[in-house]
Amino acid sequence: MAKERKIGIAMDFSKSSKNALRWATDNLIDKGDTLLLIHVKQPQPGESRNLLWSNTGSPLIPLVEFREPEVLRKYEVELDPEVLDSLDTASRQKQATVVAKVYWGDAREKLCDAVGSLKLDCLVMGSRGLGSIQRVLLGSVTNYVVTNATCPVTIVKD
């Protein structure tokens, strides 16, 4: 029997991250795998509400709870119906366990932290396709994670 894997999906609810989730569901997720949806929020100035989880992120949130409006409000996440549909597909058709985790801070650092703390076997993320000048000026989350993550990273381009 194949080893059950922990597959992380970096999710910012953009078109490219939705494509990454769809690609992972269609091509990577197998029966028994755990799909971890990782969402990183920018901390708001003066925000103390989520200070408890600022270093470690939220507790793992099972899919059945992640769809509840009060849970989404608690973590200030607006769940997209398209994302929910892809997560349902992974859960039902692929028989994968689906959980979510929310972090607060710099996406580059928090995604790399998540790889280690969640012991991910791989991470899948989208790429916005910034041009070389934009990438130099703005920095690239994708480039940083590919360089610094301690697991294989798959980039899904639009």
Side-chain angles (χ1 to χ4, degrees), residues 58-129:
S58 72
L60 292 176
I61 308 163
L63 178 59
V64 68
E65 290 178 27
F66 196 60
R67 43 170 98 243
E68 296 295 324
E70 61 273 5
V71 173
L72 295 174
R73 271 193 303 277
K74 179 179 180 178
Y75 297 109
E76 299 174 338
V77 173
E78 292 184 35
L79 191 58
D80 184 296
E82 186 180 349
V83 171
L84 190 57
D85 185 50
S86 292
L87 295 174
D88 281 336
T89 298
S91 176
R92 291 187 182 136
Q93 293 179 3
K94 301 288 185 156
Q95 298 178 354
T97 301
V98 178
V99 294
K101 189 161 176 83
V102 180
Y103 290 90
W104 291 266
D106 181 86
R108 295 172 291 198
E109 293 174 8
K110 294 300 180 178
L111 287 170
C112 289
D113 290 348
V115 166
S117 66
L118 298 172
K119 296 177 178 43
L120 297 180
D121 293 300
C122 66
L123 178 67
V124 180
M125 56 191 303
S127 175
R128 292 187 303 170

Side-chain angles (χ1 to χ4, degrees), residues 1-5 30-33 95:
M1 185 168 154
K3 178 185 176 230
E4 296 172 356
R5 301 169 299 167
D30 285 327
K31 181 178 181 178
D33 287 345
Q95 298 178 354

Side-chain angles (χ1 to χ4, degrees), residues 49-59 74-75 102-104:
R49 190 169 122 180
N50 297 315
L51 195 56
L52 173 66
W53 301 309
S54 63
N55 291 328
T56 60
S58 72
K74 179 179 180 178
Y75 297 109
V102 180
Y103 290 90
W104 291 266

Side-chain angles (χ1 to χ4, degrees), residues 113-154:
D113 290 348
V115 166
S117 66
L118 298 172
K119 296 177 178 43
L120 297 180
D121 293 300
C122 66
L123 178 67
V124 180
M125 56 191 303
S127 175
R128 292 187 303 170
L130 294 177
S132 56
I133 293 174
Q134 286 177 311
R135 195 170 28 250
V136 168
L137 294 175
L138 300 174
S140 169
V141 172
T142 304
N143 283 347
Y144 184 91
V145 172
V146 165
T147 303
N148 295 290
T150 57
C151 73
V153 178
T154 299

Side-chain angles (χ1 to χ4, degrees), residues 5-78:
R5 301 169 299 167
K6 289 185 176 181
I7 299 169
I9 308 291
M11 177 56 62
D12 64 2
F13 301 101
S14 66
K15 179 183 173 195
S16 61
S17 66
K18 291 176 193 176
N19 286 341
L21 173 59
R22 196 169 24 260
W23 182 88
T25 301
D26 293 344
N27 299 293
L28 189 60
I29 306 289
D30 285 327
K31 181 178 181 178
D33 287 345
T34 298
L35 186 153
L36 293 115
L37 186 80
I38 302 166
H39 179 59
V40 181
K41 295 182 60 64
Q42 292 297 318
Q44 302 301 315
E47 181 180 55
S48 61
R49 190 169 122 180
N50 297 315
L51 195 56
L52 173 66
W53 301 309
S54 63
N55 291 328
T56 60
S58 72
L60 292 176
I61 308 163
L63 178 59
V64 68
E65 290 178 27
F66 196 60
R67 43 170 98 243
E68 296 295 324
E70 61 273 5
V71 173
L72 295 174
R73 271 193 303 277
K74 179 179 180 178
Y75 297 109
E76 299 174 338
V77 173
E78 292 184 35

